[in-house]
Amino acid sequence: MATVADVTVHEGHWIGGERISSPADFDDVSPIDGQVIARVARGGAEEAAAAVSAAERAFPAWSRTTREERARLLHAIADGVEKRLERLAIVETTDNGALLRSHLRGVMPRVAHNFRFFADWLLRLGRDDFETRGHRNHVSWDPAGVCALITPWNAPLMLATWKIAPALAAGNTVVLKPAEWSPLTASLLADITAEAGLPDGVFNVVQGYGEEVGAPLVADPRVRRISFTGSVPTARHIAAAAAPNLTPLSLELGGKSPLIVFADADLDLAVDLAVEQYDNAGQVCLAGTRLLVQEEISAEFTERFLARAAALRQGDPRDLATDIGPQIHAEHFARIDGFVRRAVEAGATPLIGGGPNTDLGGLYYRPTLFTGVAADSEIVNEEVFGPVLTLQTFRTEEQAVEMANSTEFGLAATLVTGSPESAGRVAARLVAGTVWVNCFFVRDLRAPFGGARQSGMGREGGDWSFDFYCDVKNTVFAPGGWNG
C-alpha cells in the first residue's frame, strides 16, 4: 500500500478479484519533484498468464449477462468514479504531472462519462433487420473474449477507460496493462469496479514494463482483441506478437498534426488555438505541433502568439493557476531536449524557449517555438511529444495542403479560416482521422476516432467500438413457417 496525497493506493496487481504481489517491484516517481511515491508490483510472463486465465474463466458468465445488467454495472462504476473524483485527480496529477485543474474540470468527469456513454450506447446498439429474396437478415454483436488493453501515461485513466468501457459493455473481459510511468489510477479503478459489483476476473490490472509483462500478454493466443495507444515502434512489436495468432488490433499511435491558419482567419481565435497546443506540457498525441500560417498574416500572427505564450505560467501542476507542468519522466525530458538541440544545430531558430526551465529545475521544459525549419528536418517530421512547435508559412491553399500531408502521420489536423468553402475543400484533402475547423479537441464518443498512415489503424467510438470489440454476426432466416 502507498499513500499518495493522502489517498491510499494498492501497489499490487488486480487479478481475478484479488491483490497479487510480484517478487520484484519498481519505483513510481512523481515528475513534480522527483520523489518516489509508490513501489509498484513488477509483473512478468507469470502475472500476464494469470490475468488472462482469470479473464478467460470469467468470460462465459459475463458474456451471457444481459445488456441491461452490463449497463447497470457500468453506471455503477461511473458513480464510483464521481464519488472519488477529487482523489483520482490528485493521485493522477502527482503520478504524471498533468494539471490538477484539468483533471478536476475535464479529465476525471470524462472518465465517468466514458462508462455512462457506452452503457447507454449498448442499450441502443442494433440495426433494423433487412430482407434478401424473402429471407430475413439479423445482425448481432457477439462478445469476442479476453481483451488486452495497453494504455499510455499522458492521460492514464481517461485514455484507459475509452477502451475499458466499450470492451466491458460488449461483454468481454479485460486485462489492462497501464503505463509504468503512471500506473496508480488504474489500481484505484480496480477498487471502484469491485465496489460496483463487477464479477471477479472481468477486469484485471497487470503492472510492469512492456517488454516484461506487455509482450507475453499480447502474444497469448487466448487474447481475442488488442487495443494499444502509444508509440509507433512499440506498435510494431505488438503487431508482430499478435500476427501468429491473427489477433485483431486497434492502434492509436503518434501524430505530427498541422494547424493551418489562413489569411481570412479570426487571428485571436487562431492564436488561442495555437497556444493551446502546449496543453499538458505538449504531451498530447493530437496536438497541432506544426503551425502553418499564410504568409501575409505570419508576422502579426507570430507577434500575437509570442505575447500570449509569454503569459503562460509554468510550475507546480497542483497549483490551479499553473498552465504548464513538468514532463513525465527524466528519460522523456532528455528525449525532448535532444530534439531541440538537434534542431538548433540544424539551423532552426527558437523564438521562445529552446531549453529547460532552469528557474524551476527538474523536469520543467520551456514552451518552445521554432522558425527557420527545413521541410525535411527532423523537428518538422518526427513526433517530439513535448512543448515544442514549429512555424512555417505558405502562399496558397494548394501549398498548405501539400505541407499538411507531408509527414508519415495522419492523426489530426486543425484549420482556422473564415471561409466555409475553403474549409470544406481543404478538410476533404487532408490525411487525418479527425479534422477540426475553427476549434480544437472537441471529442464526441459517437464519432469515429483513430489515425491514418503511421498514426494507427482502426477506429473506435460509437458503433465502431462495438464493431471492434465484438464478433459481428449476420443470421439469415428462411421464409415460411416452422415445423412443429
Side-chain angles (χ1 to χ4, degrees):
M1 305 283 281
T3 301
V4 181
D6 297 325
V7 179
T8 299
V9 184
H10 288 277
E11 296 165 305
H13 313 285
W14 178 251
I15 299 175
E18 296 181 355
R19 288 291 172 179
I20 305 295
S21 61
S22 290
D25 56 27
F26 64 92
D27 289 344
D28 183 23
V29 177
S30 173
I32 299 173
D33 53 15
Q35 296 298 306
V36 175
I37 55 176
R39 289 184 170 85
V40 180
R42 182 172 174 172
E46 182 177 342
E47 289 82 358
V52 174
S53 293
E56 190 178 41
R57 287 193 300 271
F59 175 71
W62 177 246
S63 66
R64 290 193 298 267
T65 58
T66 65
R67 289 187 176 191
E68 290 74 16
E69 175 63 5
R70 295 202 299 268
R72 183 190 69 79
L73 286 167
L74 291 184
H75 277 293
I77 295 170
D79 291 341
V81 170
E82 290 172 347
K83 178 181 174 182
R84 296 170 175 80
L85 193 145
E86 292 185 1
R87 282 173 280 177
L88 290 165
I90 188 59
V91 168
E92 191 151 293
T93 289
T94 306
D95 201 13
N96 85 330
L99 299 183
L100 178 60
R101 76 178 188 213
S102 295
H103 282 134
L104 290 171
R105 297 173 188 173
V107 176
M108 294 307 163
R110 187 55 181 262
V111 169
H113 174 69
N114 288 343
F115 284 106
R116 297 199 191 283
F117 172 87
F118 284 105
D120 294 340
W121 198 266
L122 170 65
L123 297 181
R124 62 158 297 281
L125 181 67
R127 296 192 176 100
D128 292 338
D129 290 355
F130 56 95
E131 184 179 311
T132 305
R133 298 189 302 277
H135 296 67
R136 179 168 62 90
N137 293 263
H138 175 75
V139 178
S140 59
W141 286 259
D142 292 352
V146 178
C147 297
L149 310 179
I150 301 180
T151 53
W153 46 258
N154 56 324
L157 193 57
M158 183 178 72
L159 294 177
T161 56
W162 275 1
K163 304 175 187 294
I164 296 165
L168 294 179
N172 299 312
T173 52
V174 165
V175 179
L176 172 68
K177 191 277 180 193
E180 60 268 24
W181 288 349
S182 56
L184 298 185
T185 48
S187 182
L188 292 175
L189 180 63
D191 297 333
I192 292 171
T193 63
E195 182 184 276
L198 200 67
D200 294 346
V202 172
F203 176 66
N204 306 274
V205 180
V206 288
Q207 302 164 143
Y209 295 98
E211 61 271 24
E212 296 176 355
V213 69
L217 175 62
V218 297
D220 195 312
R222 297 171 295 171
V223 168
R224 302 302 182 192
R225 294 292 188 275
I226 298 169
S227 182
F228 169 72
T229 297
S231 71
V232 173
T234 301
R236 292 194 177 107
H237 288 299
I238 291 173
N245 303 316
L246 295 179
T247 309
L249 296 169
S250 178
L251 303 175
E252 194 265 281
L253 309 178
K256 194 68 179 177
S257 301
L259 191 158
I260 308 169
V261 183
F262 287 94
D264 60 2
D266 177 335
L267 265 190
D268 288 332
L269 172 64
V271 169
D272 286 346
L273 292 175
V275 173
E276 191 178 346
Q277 308 311 306
Y278 290 130
D279 183 48
N280 201 21
Q283 299 168 141
V284 177
C285 57
L286 295 161
T289 56
R290 294 184 295 136
L291 308 182
L292 309 180
V293 183
Q294 202 151 21
E295 274 189 2
E296 53 261 50
I297 60 165
S298 62
E300 185 177 0
F301 173 89
T302 303
E303 181 180 356
R304 293 195 195 187
F305 177 92
L306 295 178
R308 281 277 288 107
L312 294 173
R313 178 174 175 177
Q314 189 168 30
D316 191 322
R318 295 167 295 192
D319 184 339
L320 298 184
T322 296
D323 298 307
I324 298 180
Q327 309 308 134
I328 179 72
H329 191 274
E331 181 181 318
H332 187 59
F333 182 90
R335 181 177 182 274
I336 293 168
D337 194 47
F339 272 109
V340 170
R341 290 177 182 273
R342 290 191 298 274
V344 172
E345 291 170 1
T349 301
L351 297 185
I352 55 170
N357 189 328
T358 55
D359 295 336
L360 296 174
L363 300 181
Y364 294 85
Y365 208 90
R366 292 189 184 278
T368 297
L369 175 68
F370 277 116
T371 59
V373 292
D376 61 351
S377 64
E378 177 190 60
I379 201 67
V380 168
N381 290 280
E382 297 295 328
E383 184 179 42
V384 178
F385 216 64
V388 180
L389 309 181
T390 60
L391 175 62
Q392 299 167 275
T393 62
F394 64 89
R395 293 188 180 89
T396 66
E397 184 179 296
E398 183 70 26
Q399 187 183 19
V401 171
E402 181 181 346
M403 294 171 70
N405 289 339
S406 64
T407 76
E408 289 301 313
F409 295 100
L411 188 57
T414 301
L415 307 179
V416 194
T417 176
S419 167
E421 294 77 19
S422 175
R425 288 192 305 270
V426 174
R429 297 179 61 194
L430 292 176
V431 179
T434 300
V435 178
W436 287 291
V437 179
N438 294 334
C439 59
F440 176 66
F441 218 6
V442 178
R443 171 84 170 96
D444 192 312
L445 289 175
R446 293 172 294 182
F449 181 79
R453 294 179 176 169
Q454 296 294 302
S455 289
M457 57 188 292
R459 295 291 184 270
E460 296 187 40
D463 280 355
W464 292 273
S465 285
F466 287 96
D467 288 346
F468 173 69
Y469 287 108
C470 293
D471 291 321
V472 183
K473 177 192 294 178
N474 186 44
T475 302
V476 184
F477 295 90
W482 298 89
N483 294 327

